[in-house]
Amino acid sequence: MWLRQGEERGSQPWPKVSEMPLPQKKRWVSMAKGLVLGALFTSLLLLLYSYAAPPLHTGLASTTPEGTAPCSPAPGEPEALTPANGSAGGCQPRRDIVFMKTHKTASSTLLNILFRFGQKHGLKFAFPNGRNDFDYPAFFARSLVQDYRPGACFNIICNHMRFHYEEVRGLVPPNATFITVLRDPARLFESSFHYFGSVVPFTWKLSGSDKLAEFLQDPDRYYDPNGYNAHYLRNLLFFDLGYDSGLDPGNPQVQEHILEVERRFHLVLLQEYFDESLVLLKDLLCWELEDVLYFKLNARRASAVPRLSGELYRRATAWNVLDARLYRHFNASFWRKVEAFGRERMAREVAALRRANERMRRICIDGGRAVDAAAIQDSAMQPWQPLGAKSILGYNLKKSIGQRHAQLCRRMLTPEIQYLMDLGVNLWVTKLWKLIRDFLRW
């Protein structure tokens, strides 16, 4: 036992708590209060996480009790679309769209295009309630839609979800257009690793300066398929589309799932050929050029985008082999669509899109380029950042823009979270999480 100064063994025992000197008693009271407040704050964080990051479900979510809604009585695959603009001498713009928003594929840019089109035409969106996704990584269910009522019918569904075809199908008319976007799996893995790695606990064991390279040297050593947020780091496209991302590559279900995606989706865009993809989309939907103008949103600064070397690229592709098979299939089908559209016609329309985007860049963007988060002057233009870093670029809107373009410029530059709030989406969980992150400086 430690002895107080001037005290010998065998002397009187320590004073009881009730006899504790007043200053020491105050210190104990302060410590107790701190422990209570800490416990309450920790409980709040855990409660928030139970909303913000629901547990991963390995099986499909239960279908909504009332079954297939009257909005979408057809139980089978979507009806074939009528010929698009330029292929049959005229068409009507399509307004019923399901966009399966995949992660790290330029999907935020496409989301902005859909937000603008829906807002311009007064369309009805199926939005999530409380946050900016449909309880991802849980499977989508109709009950997750804000203000949902049995039989409700919507024009556009476009926020992050884990795809559940039957549940989505029950929210849109039978002739709705289904689209999604894919990306080279090795590049997608690299982007996902750097964006989400800090919230995947098994990556915390990586100690080197290049954690991605260390992981790819022996991924089985670190990867835990049942680990928290593990889905972000293997076959993420397969997972987002609603399939088992841990399937054995030799399992015949892999090819069956790929063919199912082909049947269900009218167009699969490619991130690497984004302009060509938008030209095909514009033709499919019978939209105008202005409808598909864009600025690149949610992009990382160049210093935060390390490129995979040849060997690491090969390893990343092998690690994401299901996504690689999916991508190869739709890369081939994409170029068949380009051939059917016409190579020369495609080149002309891509050039026209790029000229129009460049014109809007000169009209809208202060300085003409994206800037680091610290240089963004308007908080309404501040993009959501990954935990522990501010690597996502944003834009400053020019202070003097003609009346003709002012509204379009602002909408084109508004990040996803702020645009959702402008559209009236309830984001209380996302807002609360942002307050906690700002307080803790995460």
Side-chain angles (χ1 to χ4, degrees), residues 77 414 416:
E77 308 297 346
T414 299
E416 175 183 341

Side-chain angles (χ1 to χ4, degrees), residues 156-170:
I156 298 178
I157 308 175
C158 54
N159 290 81
H160 274 309
M161 69 172 77
R162 190 173 184 200
F163 193 56
H164 186 334
Y165 177 73
E166 288 75 16
E167 286 290 291
V168 173
R169 199 81 193 84

Side-chain angles (χ1 to χ4, degrees), residues 12-204:
Q12 293 297 318
W14 291 92
K16 296 180 180 179
V17 174
S18 59
E19 300 169 359
M20 186 182 299
L22 189 59
Q24 190 173 356
K25 185 176 182 180
K26 285 184 176 179
R27 283 198 300 272
W28 278 103
V29 171
S30 297
M31 289 175 63
K33 288 181 178 178
L35 287 172
V36 171
L37 289 174
L40 288 173
F41 185 67
T42 302
S43 299
L44 176 62
L45 285 177
L46 290 172
L47 177 62
L48 177 62
Y49 251 95
S50 71
Y51 283 99
L56 177 62
H57 300 295
T58 56
L60 286 175
S62 299
T63 54
T64 308
E66 73 274 7
T68 304
C71 172
S72 182
E77 308 297 346
E79 297 175 0
L81 297 183
T82 53
N85 190 30
S87 59
C91 61
Q92 292 297 317
R94 297 191 173 276
R95 300 185 176 190
D96 301 315
I97 302 159
V98 174
F99 171 43
M100 175 52 225
K101 187 178 189 290
T102 49
H103 286 85
K104 314 312 296 175
T105 57
S107 59
S108 294
T109 302
L110 191 50
L111 193 71
N112 182 274
I113 290 172
L114 292 170
F115 283 169
R116 288 176 2 233
F117 183 85
Q119 191 174 26
K120 176 181 176 181
H121 295 281
L123 303 182
K124 186 177 181 181
F125 288 90
F127 282 131
N129 190 21
R131 40 191 279 181
N132 60 307
D133 62 58
F134 291 105
D135 277 11
Y136 183 90
F139 280 98
F140 176 81
R142 275 172 272 180
S143 57
L144 298 171
V145 174
Q146 180 173 297
D147 301 325
Y148 172 74
R149 297 291 182 274
C153 196
F154 298 87
N155 300 114
I156 298 178
I157 308 175
C158 54
N159 290 81
H160 274 309
M161 69 172 77
R162 190 173 184 200
F163 193 56
H164 186 334
Y165 177 73
E166 288 75 16
E167 286 290 291
V168 173
R169 199 81 193 84
L171 288 173
V172 292
N175 64 345
T177 305
F178 281 62
I179 62 173
T180 190
V181 56
L182 306 181
R183 182 182 182 184
D184 180 307
R187 304 298 180 197
L188 184 149
F189 171 78
E190 183 273 331
S191 181
S192 183
F193 188 95
H194 286 99
Y195 192 91
F196 297 112
S198 61
V199 295
V200 184
F202 62 70
T203 67
W204 302 346

